[in-house]
Amino acid sequence: MLVGHLGVSVLTHRYLKADLVPVVVAGVIPDVVDKALCQGLNLTPSGRMWGHTLLGLAVSTVIVRLLWGRQTAWSWAVGYLGHLVADIGGDVPWLYPFVHYDFEPSPGFWEILWRKLQNPVEIALELALLGWAAWTVRTPQRISTKTPVPSVNVEIHEGI
Ligand SMILES: [Zn+2]
């Protein structure tokens, strides 16, 4: 669910040094793509299809790398991978289209939301993730003791 994916993305930003915007966008893009294709446009049978594959991860990361560079691509890749890993509790077609998957017909958006709301453990876990993420954002990172202290060079010129 969106709340949990946002939490995972912010934690990835914090602990893996991923840039915030690409890691958050990549953290939700698999659902945006697949839910739009399935529930929005009725073009695919499942809400977890092309966006939830390693092929989707690889192709989108290459595009991001070409457009915005290495650091943004790294941030994108870990955000996207974090989404796929967070979805492991359900069916994730990691290797589609190279491996055949039997896609169950996906329920509509409201049915999915209703099912999620009836699972208090999952809601609590997602809220805990988001709370942890919010706490890490508010807590300043420790400064390493190995960080060099800037020095000031002062030249003293003797007067006339
Ligand atoms: Zn998903």
Side-chain angles (χ1 to χ4, degrees), residues 15-79:
Y15 293 110
L16 295 182
K17 311 295 183 210
D19 293 343
L20 185 60
V21 171
V23 80
V24 167
V25 173
V28 297
I29 202 73
D31 278 349
V32 169
V33 168
D34 284 343
K35 304 303 188 231
L37 290 174
C38 180
Q39 278 89 18
L41 302 172
N42 293 320
L43 294 175
T44 58
S46 174
R48 288 184 178 173
M49 232 173 140
W50 290 100
H52 287 76
T53 65
L54 291 178
L55 181 64
L57 165 64
V59 169
S60 64
T61 300
V62 167
I63 293 169
V64 168
R65 169 71 171 91
L66 294 172
L67 292 176
W68 292 291
R70 178 180 248 168
Q71 175 62 28
T72 305
W74 154 255
S75 303
W76 179 271
V78 294

Side-chain angles (χ1 to χ4, degrees), residues 1-2 31 34-36 38-40 45-48 52 87 104-119 122-123 126:
M1 204 164 158
L2 183 64
D31 278 349
D34 284 343
K35 304 303 188 231
C38 180
Q39 278 89 18
S46 174
R48 288 184 178 173
H52 287 76
D87 275 356
E104 297 281 327
S106 190
F109 173 79
W110 296 111
E111 176 66 25
I112 293 171
L113 184 61
W114 180 244
R115 289 181 188 176
K116 295 283 183 187
L117 292 175
Q118 291 178 323
N119 189 341
E122 187 175 328
I123 291 172
E126 292 197 28

